[in-house]
Amino acid sequence: MSEESLKPLVGVTTGISLVAKRKVRHHGIAERYLHALARVAGVVPMLIPAIAEDTDVADLARRLDGLFLPGGRANVEPHHYGGRPFPDDEIRDPDRDALTLPLIRACIDRGVPVFGVCRGIQEMNVALGGTLHYRVHLVDGMLDHRRRHRRGIYQNRHKLILTPGGMFERLVGVSEVEVNSLHGQGIDRLADGLEIEARAPDGLVEGVCVAGARRFAVGVQWHAEAHHEEEGLSRELLKSFGEATRERQAERAATPTQRGAVRAA
């Protein structure tokens, strides 16, 4: 296979789970994310282990054509954004937090395309200085975003109102879509540098982009990977992410002179 035919390499962050009675630590994510990236974005997904102590995030960002931040059971720990401590029974993943938050910043700084889904949008907001609601359903006037749809866990649950003239609206040409968000935490104070692309009917931010980013840098609160075969906003975002990774790949492969031309294009 020639260099020209190689697909972009996209790093996919992982979470820690304990398996079997010996509680062996495993790094992984759900397979559906990988299928969506390979089939719609057209990239090669590569799992990034959550070993921050053994990872040079600046070096990793330099090597990647894209970064994908999947969902996960654990929530971002509140000490990263000045929130109140979790109760003792809260699911945590400090290893993922330690690796992902600085990696997001490194990738955005280098112009590496970033796409965050569910927990991923929360990580992006925290990494860039924002805060989270610990439990959205406990906030006055908010919906209970934890409830599963009666037809299935990832079926569409509520409308999404797209920002007029924003990227999301331009991708699909409509002002409202249906999405399948399923989460307990959510964005409270939006990070400086993030722009709102979509809100739930209760006003909760469910779609953002990084203002002024060199390339695609988007977070969504719903599971864009769950219905990747269907035409719609989720598929268009995955395709746009894939296009941005190919631009990044071309830049990485170029000579210094060519690299300047690619950036200027």
Side-chain angles (χ1 to χ4, degrees):
M1 182 178 290
S2 67
E3 288 290 331
E4 292 75 14
S5 63
L6 293 176
K7 293 182 178 180
L9 185 66
V10 169
V12 183
T13 54
T14 60
I16 301 290
S17 60
L18 302 180
V19 179
K21 293 182 179 179
R22 291 182 296 167
K23 294 187 177 180
V24 177
R25 288 163 56 86
H26 283 227
H27 301 246
I29 63 162
E31 188 179 66
R32 65 180 183 276
Y33 296 106
L34 307 178
H35 286 313
L37 289 168
R39 296 171 182 175
V40 182
V43 303
V44 175
M46 176 191 72
L47 300 188
I48 302 173
I51 49 172
E53 68 276 16
D54 295 318
T55 303
D56 181 335
V57 294
D59 180 56
L60 180 57
R62 180 178 61 82
R63 296 165 183 252
L64 292 176
D65 297 317
L67 174 66
F68 184 82
L69 312 164
R73 293 187 65 203
N75 291 315
V76 180
E77 292 204 64
H79 67 81
H80 292 291
Y81 54 89
R84 297 176 60 184
F86 281 154
D88 292 340
D89 60 352
E90 184 70 34
I91 299 174
R92 296 167 168 80
D93 194 343
D95 298 278
R96 174 167 171 169
D97 292 346
L99 185 284
T100 302
L101 299 180
L103 182 58
I104 290 169
R105 293 187 287 267
C107 285
I108 291 173
D109 287 346
R110 292 196 70 93
V112 179
V114 177
F115 191 12
V117 167
C118 196
R119 188 191 205 268
I121 188 177
Q122 297 167 13
E123 290 171 327
M124 291 178 69
N125 192 54
V126 171
L128 298 178
T131 66
L132 303 176
H133 291 298
Y134 168 56
R135 286 289 181 260
V136 174
H137 67 283
L138 299 179
V139 179
D140 288 345
M142 292 294 192
L143 300 171
D144 188 345
H145 291 256
R146 305 170 303 164
R147 292 179 179 173
R148 301 180 181 188
H149 196 288
R150 64 184 181 279
R151 291 187 287 111
I153 185 171
Y154 294 120
Q155 295 303 309
N156 291 337
R157 301 182 57 253
H158 64 69
K159 288 183 179 179
L160 197 68
I161 299 95
L162 308 185
T163 298
M167 178 203 303
F168 289 13
E169 187 186 64
R170 295 196 303 272
L171 282 175
V172 290
V174 297
S175 60
E176 291 186 358
V177 296
E178 293 278 333
V179 295
N180 59 4
S181 61
L182 181 71
H183 55 100
Q185 285 191 308
I187 291 177
D188 181 6
R189 180 174 57 79
L190 190 70
D192 292 340
L194 288 182
E195 293 182 346
I196 298 172
E197 287 285 343
R199 291 183 184 269
D202 58 5
L204 185 71
V205 175
E206 294 224 358
V208 299
C209 67
V210 177
R214 283 170 51 195
R215 292 195 178 86
F216 185 103
V218 166
V220 300
Q221 186 60 77
W222 72 94
H223 283 273
E225 85 289 348
H227 302 291
H228 63 268
E229 307 95 339
E230 303 170 8
E231 295 297 329
L233 179 57
S234 293
R235 187 175 178 88
E236 290 303 314
L237 288 169
L238 283 162
K239 288 163 61 177
S240 295
F241 176 60
E243 291 169 4
T245 66
R246 284 180 279 279
E247 292 176 4
R248 163 69 178 171
Q249 180 187 39
E251 180 184 88
R252 288 204 310 120
T255 65
T257 301
Q258 292 170 327
R259 195 171 296 127
V262 171
R263 289 178 179 176

